[in-house]
Amino acid sequence: MRVLLPFLMLGSVAHALYFFLDGTTSKCFFEELPKDTLVVGHYTAEEWDGNMNAWAKHDGINIYISVDEVFDNDHRVVSQRGTSSGRFTFTAADAGEHKICFTPSSSSGRPNWLSVLQPNGGIKLTLDLAIGSSEIESTDKTKLTDIAQRVRDLNARLLDIRREQIFQREREAEFRDQSESTNSRVVRWMFIQVVVLGITCAWQLSHLRSFFIKQKLT
């Protein structure tokens, strides 16, 4: 059966609906999507629980999801098998009609579980389909918050590293100045020692010369 969903409007939209799947027959929807449009779907599959007297999820339920580009000879862009609840997403590579199909299977073992002709038979599938960028803001808000927090932490860490670098440069400059001052004092001390040694040598030579002259005269 061909079902058209008038989902697209200006901006982004989200729609929730439920329907029943009969047997292993696929249920398909057709949607016109502009190029680069993000589509995110959340689904929940339930079967009738006699003990609870209500529709409930079952671990044995599996849903096969496919998305085909009708305008491109049914080129398949999504082929995903999930459990009784899950999420699927895709981005329209080109503008055109897309076919979104859901096919159920179950290992519950309950007879005639797939037939809607039986009392409370079949699978009840609840679909929440969001088209547009607002889904990113709502669904991934926590992720974006985490990323923003990580960016703030990184900025704080970079500031710490910057302060540490400035401190190290100041320490290096202080050490360099101290080393230059020490080297300057060592050079001055060596120069004084050389001068004193020269004066001492000159005095000793003068004294020896006077001594030898006196000895010769006597």
Side-chain angles (χ1 to χ4, degrees), residues 119-130:
N120 297 322
I123 289 290
K124 179 182 178 182
L125 186 70
T126 302
L127 177 63
D128 185 1
L129 196 63

Side-chain angles (χ1 to χ4, degrees), residues 20-171:
F20 295 92
L21 300 173
D22 186 12
T24 56
T25 303
S26 298
K27 185 80 168 182
C28 297
F29 301 93
F30 292 82
E31 179 62 34
E32 286 282 346
L33 297 175
K35 183 178 179 180
D36 297 328
T37 299
L38 174 67
V39 179
V40 180
H42 299 266
Y43 68 90
T44 301
E46 300 171 304
E47 65 177 338
W48 184 260
D49 190 324
N51 296 325
M52 298 175 58
N53 197 30
W55 294 93
K57 293 192 295 184
H58 188 277
D59 293 337
I61 299 176
N62 293 303
I63 301 295
Y64 175 71
I65 304 164
S66 64
V67 178
D68 299 332
E69 295 176 337
V70 178
F71 60 90
D72 191 15
N73 296 322
D74 289 336
H75 172 247
R76 183 150 296 179
V77 295
V78 174
S79 178
Q80 175 181 325
R81 186 174 300 277
T83 57
S84 58
S85 63
R87 177 177 182 267
F88 66 93
T89 179
F90 69 94
T91 301
D94 292 296
E97 189 175 53
H98 291 69
K99 181 173 68 173
I100 307 172
C101 297
F102 302 88
T103 306
S105 63
S106 176
S107 58
S108 65
R110 188 164 66 86
N112 298 321
W113 68 272
L114 279 176
S115 178
V116 294
L117 299 178
Q118 301 296 326
N120 297 322
I123 289 290
K124 179 182 178 182
L125 186 70
T126 302
L127 177 63
D128 185 1
L129 196 63
I131 300 177
S133 59
S134 64
E135 179 65 16
I136 296 179
E137 299 176 0
S138 58
T139 304
D140 298 335
K141 184 177 180 180
T142 302
K143 295 181 180 179
L144 293 177
T145 302
D146 293 340
I147 293 174
Q149 182 61 42
R150 291 181 182 179
V151 170
R152 286 193 292 268
D153 293 340
L154 288 174
N155 287 334
R157 181 57 180 164
L158 289 175
L159 290 177
D160 292 339
I161 294 174
R162 178 65 176 170
R163 285 192 292 267
E164 182 68 19
Q165 289 176 341
I166 294 174
F167 174 74
Q168 291 296 335
R169 282 199 294 267
E170 291 176 351
R171 289 290 300 274

